[in-house]
Amino acid sequence: MHSLRENIIEILLKSRHITKEQLDHALVLQKEKGMPLRRILVDEGVVTEEILLSLFSEQLYIPSLRLAKFRFDPKIIDLIPEQMAKLYNTIPLSRIGNTLTVAMSDPLNIFALDDLGNFTGCNIDIVLSPQDEIAHAIDSQYHREIRDLQNIIDESTLSRDIDSDKNTELLRTDAIELSNTLQDSEKAPIVQLVNIILAQALKRRASDIHVEPEVDCLRIRYRIDGSLHDILKVPKINQNAILARLKIISNLDITENRIPQDGRFKVKTEDREIDFRVSSLPTTFGQKFVLRALDKSNLSVGLDKLGFSEQPASNFKAAVAKPFGMILVTGPTGSGKSTTLYSVLNQLNTLDRNIITIEDPVEYLVEGITQMQVKPDIGLDFASGLRSILRQSPDVIMVGEIRDAETADIAIKAALTGQLVLSTLHTNDAISSITRLIDMGVEPFLVASSVIMLCAQRLARKICLKCRTPIEVSGDFLKKIGFSGKAKFYSAKGCKYCNNTGFYGRVAVLETVLIDDAIREMVIRKKSIDEIRDYAIKNLGMKTLRDDAFLKVKEELTTLDEAIRITTEE
């Protein structure tokens, strides 16, 4: 029997849908990218998926079926395990007697047909369906919680007698419309739907829940290990009730839709208490919500258990042991800066210390620490708040972010007058923090005198240990990227345990440097950042972000691709 590739070539050439030149080019691309020929042809625009389905159906005498509106039976789905369905890109459709009908994208894979027949004990009939539609159906049908959500959505949609045209608009604030929305938001299916969305987010280790109104639906996405994943699309008719429910539990003003709002609420699950920080944003099709899950159990692990490499951990311990000075942690949003600083605060949180924070907003609520949230609308910004904090005789101060010259000046002077100050900046690496402060207008001698440690941080996705696959990497490529030493390399494959992402959890990648007298002298003399960085690497043994990322690869914690993705070439 010919392979599917040989049949594709033969069928396409006979049908004159592709020229010999186009075919040769596609075969070259297939060899370079290692992708199926049919996918290359579709991606390059040579033929469409519809044409391929039509040709195969006609030439191979196999019926075709589009799965977009097909209603799956959960009992039939359970006849084939998810892992097997994904392996052969197939999904069961129906069973009549001892005959099981499945949709496949590669109907000539005789090994798949034999395995399916042996496993189910059924005769296998096949229909042709697009590869992407099968993959989407597998993702949606094999997650039982998604099926439960869909059942709830169906129930809430059928139980409501509301004009769908009205629900495509933003929530109105007149008495009648508001009353209806409040009643809808308290209906059992809506409450249950929101509860399940929250519960599944925690079960899947999501750090954020994105609730995004679109023109014809409400899209739900989870951010898992730093990447967003589509979870669910809710009919537009349920949008207002769901958004109202989120506002109610977050203590937001349900009548206000024109301006952004911030709120929070708590969820208790098993032995954990999760804080959700809620942000709403007015958009074209309704208010978008982002719910950020903050797990306080992550703060009590201490510096020793944060997964830091030996040098960064040692530098942090040395800096935290000092009675005064400034520690700066830099990195983009979502790089774990807050978790690191809160872990440091938690370690310093003893009865003999007065610890005060000023943040925007307060992310974690920690017992024993005085926390203040800035309120710019009443004139309480970082600078004015910090001045007030200094009158409270603090031992340790955390400033959520140094954003302007005034805040920087006050924070640095506090570090010079006996307080340990922790804060964050947005820079690409650790040494660049010096330039950032000087650019804000802080005098170089003040920077040199106050800063005791600089740290840049990123989060790398940890490879799933249950499905990682060993790979070979060429020596030339390793030499090109500056990777030295021996290591076993793995690729992220994906399995049920890691939600088919290939990754499970994240680990911190750090670049730290303790400021010594030589660096202080270089700062005062306004030496370039490159000179300071070269000195830190050669004389202090500073490991760059990429060095630490490569160390995580050698420790088999992440992939080489991930290490390169999150770091820049020095």
Side-chain angles (χ1 to χ4, degrees):
M1 182 177 287
H2 291 302
S3 68
L4 181 60
R5 170 179 150 165
E6 291 169 339
N7 278 276
I8 289 174
I9 294 172
E10 182 180 350
I11 291 171
L12 288 174
L13 288 176
K14 284 183 177 180
S15 66
R16 301 183 184 278
H17 279 93
I18 184 174
T19 65
K20 186 67 167 61
E21 290 75 15
Q22 288 175 318
L23 176 59
D24 292 340
H25 178 64
L27 291 173
V28 170
L29 290 178
Q30 182 194 27
K31 188 175 181 181
E32 291 176 354
K33 298 182 178 182
M35 294 170 59
L37 180 59
R38 62 185 296 175
R39 178 54 52 196
I40 294 287
L41 294 172
V42 172
D43 290 347
E44 290 294 308
V46 177
V47 291
T48 64
E49 190 85 21
E50 289 76 11
I51 290 176
L52 284 176
L53 281 175
S54 177
L55 288 173
F56 295 159
S57 179
E58 180 182 345
Q59 297 292 328
L60 304 177
Y61 303 102
I62 298 175
S64 62
L65 177 68
R66 305 306 297 264
L67 301 179
K69 296 184 179 180
F70 187 84
R71 295 189 67 85
F72 292 91
D73 184 343
K75 294 181 181 179
I76 301 298
I77 292 293
D78 291 340
L79 293 176
I80 297 177
E82 181 182 5
Q83 189 173 2
M84 181 177 285
K86 290 195 171 184
L87 177 64
Y88 296 129
N89 198 45
T90 184
I91 190 165
L93 303 176
S94 65
R95 179 177 179 177
I96 300 176
N98 199 42
T99 299
L100 179 66
T101 301
V102 301
M104 297 185 70
S105 59
D106 184 354
L108 300 179
N109 187 338
I110 58 174
F111 299 106
L113 296 175
D114 287 344
D115 280 355
L116 292 171
N118 291 332
F119 183 85
T120 61
C122 297
N123 299 319
I124 304 297
D125 271 358
I126 58 176
V127 298
L128 277 171
S129 293
Q131 182 175 340
D132 291 345
E133 291 188 12
I134 295 176
H136 178 75
I138 292 172
D139 286 339
S140 62
Q141 296 303 316
Y142 278 94
H143 290 105
R144 294 182 182 276
E145 66 273 10
I146 300 301
R147 294 198 303 225
D148 293 341
L149 284 175
Q150 192 60 56
N151 291 337
I152 293 171
I153 291 169
D154 292 342
E155 179 184 347
S156 63
T157 302
L158 291 173
S159 66
R160 299 177 62 192
D161 185 19
I162 301 175
D163 184 15
S164 61
D165 291 336
K166 292 182 181 179
N167 286 274
T168 62
E169 304 173 6
L170 296 178
L171 176 63
R172 297 175 184 174
T173 56
D174 59 88
I176 298 176
E177 182 72 18
L178 178 57
S179 174
N180 288 340
T181 302
L182 283 170
Q183 291 173 13
D184 292 335
S185 70
E186 297 296 337
K187 284 185 177 179
I190 294 298
V191 174
Q192 190 178 2
L193 175 60
V194 172
N195 290 345
I196 291 180
I197 289 173
L198 296 175
Q200 289 304 319
L202 297 178
K203 180 180 178 181
R204 296 194 185 192
R205 305 171 296 104
S207 59
D208 302 273
I209 305 171
H210 290 244
V211 182
E212 302 168 324
E214 296 186 347
V215 64
D216 58 351
C217 67
L218 184 69
R219 181 168 68 161
I220 311 295
R221 293 195 290 174
Y222 292 163
R223 186 180 295 279
I224 303 172
D225 297 331
S227 299
L228 282 171
H229 299 269
D230 266 333
I231 299 299
L232 187 67
K233 288 189 176 180
V234 181
K236 193 74 173 179
I237 195 171
N238 295 307
Q239 174 177 308
N240 286 349
I242 292 173
L243 298 186
R245 178 63 184 168
L246 291 175
K247 283 188 173 184
I248 290 169
I249 63 177
S250 306
N251 291 318
L252 300 182
D253 185 355
I254 194 172
T255 66
E256 182 56 74
N257 302 287
R258 301 163 298 171
I259 60 174
Q261 296 187 68
D262 294 309
R264 65 192 314 143
F265 63 91
K266 291 183 180 181
V267 170
K268 289 185 178 180
T269 171
E270 299 174 352
D271 57 344
R272 295 185 301 160
E273 185 176 79
I274 311 297
D275 284 335
F276 275 95
R277 200 180 79 195
V278 182
S279 172
S280 72
L281 184 72
T283 68
T284 305
F285 302 114
Q287 285 192 299
K288 173 180 176 177
F289 279 72
V290 175
L291 291 72
R292 187 174 186 187
L294 303 168
D295 188 352
K296 287 195 288 188
S297 65
N298 293 334
L299 308 180
S300 59
V301 297
L303 288 173
D304 292 329
K305 298 181 181 179
L306 281 178
F308 291 173
S309 301
E310 183 179 352
Q311 188 200 47
S314 176
N315 286 347
F316 256 106
K317 289 178 182 178
V320 170
K322 295 184 181 294
F324 59 88
M326 177 178 284
I327 298 173
L328 288 174
V329 181
T330 78
T333 302
S335 60
K337 301 188 300 295
S338 295
T339 300
T340 296
L341 289 182
Y342 270 106
S343 296
V344 172
L345 288 181
N346 199 68
Q347 184 167 313
L348 295 172
N349 188 12
T350 57
L351 292 176
D352 59 340
R353 285 193 179 98
N354 178 20
I355 302 176
I356 305 179
T357 74
I358 178 166
E359 307 166 66
D360 183 21
V362 174
E363 296 198 17
Y364 296 95
L365 299 176
V366 183
E367 186 177 354
I369 294 178
T370 303
Q371 297 171 269
M372 178 193 299
Q373 180 165 322
V374 301
K375 297 178 180 178
D377 52 328
I378 61 171
L380 180 59
D381 55 16
F382 277 110
S384 60
L386 196 49
R387 285 195 195 92
S388 299
I389 287 174
L390 292 175
R391 302 189 193 104
Q392 297 284 316
S393 184
D395 298 300
V396 181
I397 302 171
M398 188 182 86
V399 183
E401 182 184 345
I402 295 178
R403 298 176 179 174
D404 53 61
E406 190 177 10
T407 304
D409 183 64
I410 299 171
I412 283 177
K413 288 177 180 175
L416 290 172
T417 55
Q419 283 84 31
L420 183 64
V421 179
L422 292 76
S423 190
T424 68
L425 280 175
H426 287 287
T427 61
N428 291 327
D429 57 36
I431 303 296
S432 295
S433 303
I434 295 171
T435 304
R436 181 82 177 101
L437 290 173
I438 293 174
D439 289 343
M440 284 182 178
V442 181
E443 292 293 339
F445 76 89
L446 290 176
V447 176
S449 303
S450 60
V451 178
I452 57 177
M453 194 191 83
L454 301 172
C455 170
Q457 181 167 324
R458 301 290 187 275
L459 290 178
R461 293 177 294 173
K462 295 171 68 174
I463 193 166
C464 177
L465 299 179
K466 295 183 180 295
C467 64
R468 64 182 184 178
T469 305
I471 59 171
E472 295 292 332
V473 181
S474 70
D476 291 340
F477 179 73
L478 293 177
K479 185 177 180 180
K480 180 180 178 182
I481 63 174
F483 190 100
S484 59
K486 295 183 179 180
K488 290 183 179 179
F489 300 102
Y490 296 90
S491 66
K493 183 180 178 182
C495 64
K496 186 175 182 179
Y497 178 73
C498 61
N499 286 319
N500 300 294
T501 63
F503 298 95
Y504 192 95
R506 290 189 287 179
V507 63
V509 173
L510 285 87
E511 171 183 300
T512 60
V513 56
L514 287 171
I515 305 300
D516 66 357
D517 291 339
I519 292 181
R520 292 190 178 95
E521 187 69 23
M522 295 173 78
V523 173
I524 292 172
R525 292 186 177 183
K526 299 182 179 179
K527 296 291 185 179
S528 70
I529 291 300
D530 290 337
E531 290 180 80
I532 299 175
R533 184 185 294 108
D534 290 342
Y535 169 82
I537 292 173
K538 292 176 183 177
N539 297 83
L540 302 181
M542 183 185 82
K543 302 294 184 184
T544 65
L545 282 169
R546 177 156 288 191
D547 291 336
D548 196 37
F550 284 168
L551 181 59
K552 303 299 183 187
V553 175
K554 293 176 183 178
E555 293 173 351
E556 301 181 8
L557 292 174
T558 190
T559 66
L560 188 59
D561 288 342
E562 180 71 2
I564 294 171
R565 182 185 71 85
I566 65 167
T567 60
T568 55
E569 210 167 348
E570 301 299 329

